[in-house]
Amino acid sequence: MGQVQLSGKVNREMFMHDVPVKLGENVSPRTAAVHSVDWWLMGEDLPDPHNRVHLKGDKIHIDYTENNTESFKRLVHRWIEVLKSIQVDKGWMADSQCYYQGTFPLRWVAHQCGTCRFGTDSSTSVLDLDCRTHDVDNLYVIDGSFFPSNIGSNPTLTIIANTLRVADRLLDRLQ
């Protein structure tokens, strides 16, 4: 319920300001950045009816409570075990057990899913199975909001595939 992905390089500024690691006496932030391998681990938030996006006055408000954190912690722990098992540390850092971990604040959230549930029953869903709203005949929602969750991964290709599927339904409907 998550993924490990090789990501872009950290730079020396990140080591100087954001990464709480202790570097050896003769290791500069630049050297640490050059010798690092950067991984992006993502977990999945499971559907929760209390997690909501709504208007509060004239502002968008997000009610959010993290969940599935134990699964993500197991993923992080397992990945560190894998890195240790292949002896990636060549001893240039003062602390050979140094694995920076951090999470992003809610304001950095991306790929929101589940804001427009779909189904066959208009009392429990906003969209039908073709992503058309139950109440407005010519309104379709083809972004990621109909997904209940997104496995902690970028859903863009699945959104594109669904968009093509819905476009075929629209073509059929217009003929």
Side-chain angles (χ1 to χ4, degrees):
M1 296 185 68
Q3 73 171 2
V4 176
Q5 164 183 327
L6 191 58
S7 65
K9 287 296 299 157
V10 293
N11 57 41
R12 71 179 184 88
E13 288 80 15
M14 293 170 80
F15 271 106
M16 292 172 67
H17 302 292
D18 295 334
V19 181
V21 297
K22 178 181 175 188
L23 301 174
E25 281 182 31
N26 298 320
V27 178
S28 70
R30 181 185 177 283
T31 300
V34 166
H35 288 90
S36 69
V37 177
D38 312 314
W39 301 95
W40 181 275
L41 280 70
M42 288 179 276
E44 176 183 13
D45 281 329
L46 299 175
D48 181 339
H50 301 292
N51 287 345
R52 294 277 195 218
V53 177
H54 57 93
L55 290 176
K56 235 183 194 177
D58 62 346
K59 295 186 180 181
I60 296 174
H61 185 75
I62 299 174
D63 291 329
Y64 172 72
T65 302
E66 257 185 42
N67 65 45
N68 203 30
T69 55
E70 288 305 313
S71 176
F72 183 70
K73 287 176 188 174
R74 284 193 307 273
L75 176 66
V76 170
H77 177 73
R78 178 66 183 118
W79 189 243
I80 290 172
E81 286 178 354
V82 167
L83 294 175
K84 287 178 181 179
S85 76
I86 59 174
Q87 300 176 348
V88 294
D89 183 1
K90 300 302 179 192
W92 59 269
M93 291 185 71
D95 178 3
S96 65
Q97 303 299 315
C98 184
Y99 297 93
Y100 170 70
Q101 298 175 40
T103 58
F104 291 120
L106 184 59
R107 69 180 181 272
W108 289 8
V109 72
H111 308 306
Q112 293 88 340
C113 295
T115 55
C116 291
R117 180 179 296 176
F118 76 141
T120 56
D121 182 354
S122 63
S123 68
T124 60
S125 62
V126 175
L127 308 173
D128 68 14
L129 298 181
D130 288 326
C131 295
R132 183 178 72 184
T133 61
H134 292 293
D135 295 333
V136 180
D137 185 55
N138 65 348
L139 177 59
Y140 290 78
V141 179
I142 53 171
D143 62 3
S145 63
F146 78 97
F147 296 139
S149 65
N150 74 357
I151 70 164
S153 182
N154 186 326
T156 302
L157 294 176
T158 306
I159 291 168
I160 292 168
N162 184 59
T163 301
L164 293 171
R165 181 187 70 85
V166 172
D168 285 342
R169 300 293 188 282
L170 285 169
L171 285 173
D172 291 344
R173 188 173 177 201
L174 294 172
Q175 292 178 358

